[in-house]
């Protein structure tokens, strides 16, 4: 029983390590791509200018001569709060002297009374950059009021930044950090993000660590959460929006240089690194999420496992330092590692222990690739009922003599795919036989299937049964063998032979068989309207429908109409006017309105008519009871 508990505990530990490792970082290529993204001068608007310059500042890429950028900023003339804030902050990043109008300053001061966190932050920051005196307590009280109605992660992020700038109620707002991160969601056990996406997540990361630094307390985050945040941010490093990219950089910079928790990235130094017959080493980088060094480290490969069969090919191997002190080489020269995908668990040991570094255990995945060769390739034609057709062996890359097959025969092929290094038979993801009509260029591709035991690939084509797929196009076809796999260095596309296929049927004509020919125009005929009745029949029907109404009028003239009991009230008049309007609407429906227009007008007339009618009938009933 104890042994089972140990096994379960070990599995949980391995799962925890794999779910909290950071195996990526911001490479030099990533930084160069971002630098190009931020180079957007002349600026089209103030917000783009601010985020572009902030991104360049974070990359230390602002040019020494920024006069053209300054002139571009001065040319912008937007008077919204966000635009004024963006222009002022952008100018401060490049030390551009820019005047502001009294109206713009009044807009900023008016925003200090806003009950919204973001305008408060923008107004205070801009006024502070302009060195305009502001009542900090008033701003802090306004922030407190705003937080009572808006505690979304984005607003809390700006609130943390504003609190840090005000240097007031640090302890009180610091307590909110844990509540904010409680709103974050974990995906795949590896990524931690907020509902607002990349911008909100990176904003909260940056602001919470800055507030924690001002309060001189570590943020209430577990090491696993820090790693999950880093994983999410790095998974979005290819974002193409200037604003999101700049904010992402700000968050990664905080995660690389704060006083409390710095996630360590253990990753391949170059994406796509692999072990091949010509390369027996892979480079592993150990550093921050920005690729910076964390100091002298001893890096040990705890184990390297083949992902398919979980076989361990290496354990407790110490890596050697490369020319870059943050890069370490894992040597597979003396390791017997079959081709395939591998997962290596690493442990980094610091020469000088640093408690703020988290994630010193990590994992990296890579693949061992191999050259392949085709062996025992045989091809031939035989009768359908023939169990062992006569075949001929072909050596790659030679081409066999032409074959002939008709609808009573089958085309056969068999071969092995073997590793060039070990001559071991293997299965690949792609093993196709392609037949190409040498006259029309049309291709038909079939899958060669391997035997599970021997791993021998076989293919047979019943010519008669597949005649429809070939559209009965007799002629000369080129047979090609296509072999490839993710772990194969030298994919093969080998034209192995020509075969003349003879079918019984006739091929389709160009008009009926070519799917790319224009199709005939469809002439759609609408249904002919029903024959209408003659005018005499319509008139007789109209008279019959009107007869009851006419009869009622005649009887009224004969016996008289008693209207003395008609109640003179708003409800009575309103009901009868509404009823008359509904009858008139029916007439309009008959003559010119469609159904939807009629229903819309009827909804308008029907409601007051119903209310007046209900009140009228209630009044009549009350009078009768009184009598």
């Amino acid at each position: 029983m104890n042994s089972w508990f140990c096994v379960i505990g070990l599995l949980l530990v391995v799962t925890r390590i794999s779910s909290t490792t950071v195996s990526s970082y911001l490479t030099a290529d990533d930084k160069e791509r971002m630098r190009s993204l931020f180079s957007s001068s002349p600026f089209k608007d103030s917000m783009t200018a601010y985020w572009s310059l902030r991104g360049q500042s974070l990359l230390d890429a602002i040019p020494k001569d920024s006069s053209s950028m300054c002139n571009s900023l001065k040319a912008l003339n937007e008077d919204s709060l966000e635009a004024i804030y963006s222009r002022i902050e952008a100018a401060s990043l490049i030390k551009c002297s820019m005047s502001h109008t009294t109206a713009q300053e009044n807009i900023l001061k008016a925003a200090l009374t806003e009950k919204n966190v973001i305008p408060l932050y923008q107004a205070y920051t801009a006024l502070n950059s302009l060195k305009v005196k502001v009542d900090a307590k008033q701003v802090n009280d306004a922030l407190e009021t705003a937080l009572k109605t808006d505690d979304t992660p984005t607003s809390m992020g700006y609130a943390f930044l504003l609190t840090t700038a005000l240097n007031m109620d640090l302890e009180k707002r610091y307590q909110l950090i844990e509540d904010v991160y409680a709103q974050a969601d974990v995906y795949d056990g590896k990524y931690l993000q907020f509902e607002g996406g990349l911008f909100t997540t990176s904003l909260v990361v940056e602001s919470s660590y800055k507030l924690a630094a001002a309060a001189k307390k570590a943020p209430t985050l577990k090491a696993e959460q820090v790693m999950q945040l880093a994983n999410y941010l790095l998974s979005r490093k290819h974002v193409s929006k200037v604003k999101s990219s700049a904010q992402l950089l700000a968050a990664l910079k905080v995660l690389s240089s704060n006083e409390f928790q710095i996630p360590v990235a253990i990753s391949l130094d170059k994406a796509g690194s692999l072990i091949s017959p010509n390369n027996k080493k892979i480079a592993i980088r150990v550093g921050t999420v920005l690729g910076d060094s964390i100091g002298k480290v001893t890096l040990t490969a705890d184990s390297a496992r083949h992902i398919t069969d979980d076989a361990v090919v290496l354990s407790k191997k110490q890596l050697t330092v490369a020319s870059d002190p943050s890069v370490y080489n894992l040597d597979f020269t003396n390791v017997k590692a079959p081709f395939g995908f591998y997962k290596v668990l690493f442990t980094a040991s610091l020469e000088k222990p640093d408690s703020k570094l988290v994630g010193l255990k990590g994992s990296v995945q890579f693949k061992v690739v191999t050259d392949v060769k085709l062996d025992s390739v045989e091809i031939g034609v035989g009768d359908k009922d023939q169990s062992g057709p006569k075949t001929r062996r072909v050596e790659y890359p030679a081409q066999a003599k032409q074959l002939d097959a008709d609808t009573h025969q089958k085309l056969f092929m068999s071969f092995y795919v073997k590793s060039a290094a070990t001559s071991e038979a293997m299965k690949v993801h792609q093993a196709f036989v392609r037949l190409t009509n040498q006259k029309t260029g049309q291709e038909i591709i079939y899958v060669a299937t391997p035997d599970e035991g021997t791993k021998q690939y076989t293919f047979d084509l019943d010519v008669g049964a597949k005649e429809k797929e070939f559209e009965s196009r007799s002629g000369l076809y080129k047979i090609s063998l296509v072999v490839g796999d993710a772990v194969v260095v030298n994919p093969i596309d080998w034209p192995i032979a020509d075969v003349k296929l003879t079918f019984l049927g006739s091929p389709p004509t160009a008009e009926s068989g070519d799917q790319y020919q224009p199709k005939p125009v469809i002439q759609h005929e609408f249904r002919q309207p029903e024959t209408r009745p003659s005018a005499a029949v319509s008139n007789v029907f109209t008279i019959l429908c009107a007869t009851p109404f006419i009869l009622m009028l005649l009887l009224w003239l004969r016996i008289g109409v008693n209207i003395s009991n008609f109640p003179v009230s708003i409800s009575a008049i309103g009901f009868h006017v509404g009823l008359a309007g509904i009858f008139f609407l029916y007439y309009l429906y008959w003559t010119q309105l469609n159904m939807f227009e009629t229903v819309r007008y009827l909804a308008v007339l029907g409601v007051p008519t119903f209310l007046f009618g209900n009140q009228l009938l209630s009044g009549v009933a009350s009078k009768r009871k009184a009598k």
Side-chain angles (χ1 to χ4, degrees):
M1 181 65 72
N2 290 336
S3 62
W4 277 107
F5 278 119
C6 291
V7 171
I8 294 172
L10 180 60
L11 288 174
L12 290 174
V13 169
V14 171
T15 302
R16 182 179 178 83
I17 290 173
S18 63
S19 65
T20 56
T21 180
V22 177
S23 55
S24 179
Y25 71 100
L26 205 66
T27 66
D29 290 340
D30 294 328
K31 294 175 184 177
E32 184 58 36
R33 177 181 46 77
M34 288 182 169
R35 189 178 289 108
S36 299
L37 179 65
F38 298 140
S39 301
S40 56
S41 178
F43 306 114
K44 62 180 181 180
D45 56 63
S46 300
M47 287 176 286
T48 302
Y50 168 62
W51 290 108
S52 296
L53 290 173
R54 189 179 182 200
Q56 292 183 55
S57 176
L58 290 166
L59 289 172
D60 296 324
I62 293 181
K64 293 181 179 179
D65 182 10
S66 55
S67 56
S68 61
M69 294 181 178
C70 185
N71 293 332
S72 179
L73 277 177
K74 290 178 179 179
L76 299 173
N77 188 21
E78 303 157 282
D79 286 330
S80 67
L81 172 63
E82 187 173 13
I84 296 170
Y85 155 78
S86 299
R87 193 159 59 250
I88 292 171
E89 291 304 297
S92 66
L93 288 170
I94 56 175
K95 297 180 173 56
C96 173
S97 178
M98 183 180 297
S99 60
H100 65 283
T101 65
T102 304
Q104 291 172 340
E105 186 173 323
N106 290 337
I107 291 174
L108 294 173
K109 288 181 178 179
L112 294 177
T113 60
E114 287 275 353
K115 294 182 180 179
N116 192 305
V117 178
I118 299 177
L120 274 174
Y121 168 76
Q122 292 175 341
Y124 177 80
T125 305
L127 288 169
N128 195 42
S129 296
L130 294 174
K131 300 189 181 339
V132 176
K133 189 175 181 181
V134 177
D135 186 346
K137 186 178 184 308
Q138 178 188 346
V139 176
N140 190 57
D141 292 342
L143 176 60
E144 186 66 26
T145 302
L147 287 176
K148 291 179 181 178
T149 58
D150 186 4
D151 61 350
T152 60
T154 302
S155 295
M156 294 301 293
Y158 280 109
F160 293 161
L161 291 176
L162 182 54
T163 300
T164 305
L166 291 169
N167 198 28
M168 300 178 69
D169 285 341
L170 296 176
E171 179 64 28
K172 183 177 182 180
R173 306 275 160 69
Y174 167 82
Q175 300 297 330
L176 298 176
I177 293 178
E178 186 174 4
D179 297 335
V180 174
Y181 279 103
Q183 300 181 47
D185 299 311
V186 179
Y187 293 95
D188 296 333
K190 187 178 180 181
Y191 305 105
L192 183 67
Q193 71 167 93
F194 290 94
E195 186 177 350
L198 175 60
F199 182 82
T200 299
T201 305
S202 52
L203 173 66
V204 173
V205 170
E206 179 199 12
S207 60
S208 59
Y209 273 93
K210 286 185 175 180
L211 176 58
K216 297 181 180 180
K217 289 185 177 181
T220 49
L221 282 171
K222 298 177 182 178
E224 183 177 14
Q225 290 177 298
V226 179
M227 306 292 282
Q228 290 169 340
L229 286 168
N231 278 331
Y232 172 72
L233 295 175
L234 289 168
S235 72
R236 300 296 307 278
K237 64 182 180 180
H238 296 289
V239 64
S240 59
K241 292 184 178 179
V242 173
K243 180 179 179 180
S244 298
S245 188
Q247 186 58 60
L248 167 65
L249 263 179
L252 291 177
K253 188 168 185 177
V254 165
L255 287 179
S256 296
S257 58
N258 68 83
E259 305 171 15
F260 311 108
Q261 297 161 313
I262 297 178
V264 176
I266 301 177
S267 61
L268 292 172
D269 184 44
K270 293 182 180 179
S273 297
L274 48 81
I275 299 295
S276 69
N278 300 322
N279 176 45
K280 295 295 184 179
K281 293 181 180 180
I282 57 171
I284 307 297
R285 177 175 287 274
V286 180
T288 68
V289 290
L290 285 180
D292 300 328
S293 173
I294 60 171
K296 192 173 182 180
V297 169
T298 299
L299 187 63
T300 304
D302 296 327
S303 65
R305 293 178 179 270
H306 194 279
I307 291 179
T308 303
D309 56 15
D310 206 34
V312 178
V313 298
L314 177 151
S315 64
K316 298 301 179 183
K317 183 178 179 64
Q318 186 171 320
L319 279 68
T320 57
V321 183
S323 56
D324 184 338
S326 297
V327 178
Y328 300 81
N329 290 324
L330 180 59
D331 193 346
F332 267 68
T333 303
N334 300 319
V335 178
K336 187 178 180 181
F339 53 85
F341 290 87
Y342 287 82
K343 183 174 183 178
V344 186
L345 300 180
F346 292 99
T347 298
S349 303
L350 292 165
E351 187 178 59
K352 294 181 180 179
D354 190 343
S355 60
K356 67 175 177 287
L357 295 176
V358 296
L360 292 172
K361 285 184 175 292
S363 65
V364 168
Q365 289 190 14
F366 65 93
K367 62 183 177 181
V368 175
V369 297
T370 182
D371 291 319
V372 296
K373 62 182 180 179
L374 297 176
D375 192 30
S376 303
V377 183
E378 295 188 355
I379 188 170
V381 173
D383 294 334
K384 290 182 180 181
D385 55 356
Q386 187 176 356
S387 58
K390 185 179 180 181
T391 60
R392 64 189 71 169
R393 178 164 291 196
V394 188
E395 296 293 335
Y396 177 81
Q399 186 170 344
K401 293 182 180 180
Q402 180 179 312
L403 304 170
D404 295 286
D406 57 30
T407 54
H408 302 290
Q409 295 176 309
K410 281 187 176 184
L411 174 67
F412 294 88
M413 186 188 297
S414 65
F415 59 93
Y416 288 93
V417 180
K418 294 186 177 181
S419 169
T422 63
S423 295
E424 178 185 354
M426 58 183 287
K427 291 194 293 185
V428 292
H429 287 152
Q430 297 174 338
F432 303 133
V433 177
R434 181 178 66 230
L435 285 87
T436 307
N437 189 309
Q438 296 193 15
K439 182 178 181 181
T440 65
Q442 291 174 292
E443 296 181 346
I444 299 179
I445 299 175
Y446 296 98
V447 178
T449 55
D451 180 85
E452 291 298 327
T454 63
K455 297 181 182 179
Q456 181 187 33
Y457 281 87
T458 57
F459 163 75
D460 65 87
L461 175 69
D462 187 333
V463 178
K466 301 296 183 181
E467 179 172 353
K468 187 176 181 181
E469 295 181 6
F470 286 85
E471 298 180 334
S472 300
R473 294 182 186 274
S474 302
L476 195 63
Y477 286 79
K478 182 179 292 295
I479 307 173
S480 298
L481 182 57
V482 181
V483 175
D485 194 282
V487 296
V488 171
V489 178
N490 58 326
I492 297 171
D493 186 351
W494 175 22
I496 186 172
D498 292 335
V499 60
K500 184 178 180 181
L501 299 180
T502 303
F503 299 104
L504 296 177
S506 300
T509 61
E511 290 77 13
S512 61
D514 193 344
Q515 60 178 326
Y516 300 108
Q517 290 292 325
K519 300 295 186 286
V521 178
I522 298 175
Q523 300 293 342
H524 181 74
E525 293 185 6
F526 291 95
R527 188 181 66 177
Q528 295 296 325
E530 298 289 342
T531 304
R532 302 187 68 178
S534 63
V537 173
S538 298
N539 291 336
V540 170
F541 182 75
T542 302
I543 293 171
L544 289 174
C545 290
T547 298
F549 182 71
I550 296 171
L551 182 61
M552 181 188 70
L553 294 178
L554 293 174
L555 291 174
W556 277 0
L557 291 173
R558 182 174 180 81
I559 65 178
V561 179
N562 181 13
I563 61 173
S564 60
N565 286 332
F566 184 85
V568 181
S569 63
I570 295 176
S571 60
I573 295 172
F575 171 71
H576 286 86
V577 169
L579 192 61
I582 291 173
F583 284 133
F584 181 67
L585 182 62
Y586 287 159
Y587 166 75
L588 292 178
Y589 173 59
W590 182 263
T591 58
Q592 53 184 304
L593 297 180
N594 60 40
M595 181 178 65
F596 299 102
E597 292 173 330
T598 304
V599 170
R600 186 163 63 248
Y601 293 133
L602 182 61
V604 176
L605 286 172
V607 173
T609 303
F610 169 77
L611 296 176
F612 285 133
N614 183 62
Q615 188 176 1
L616 174 62
L617 291 176
S618 298
V620 171
S622 298
K623 287 182 180 180
R624 287 181 178 177
K625 286 182 179 180
K627 292 179 180 180

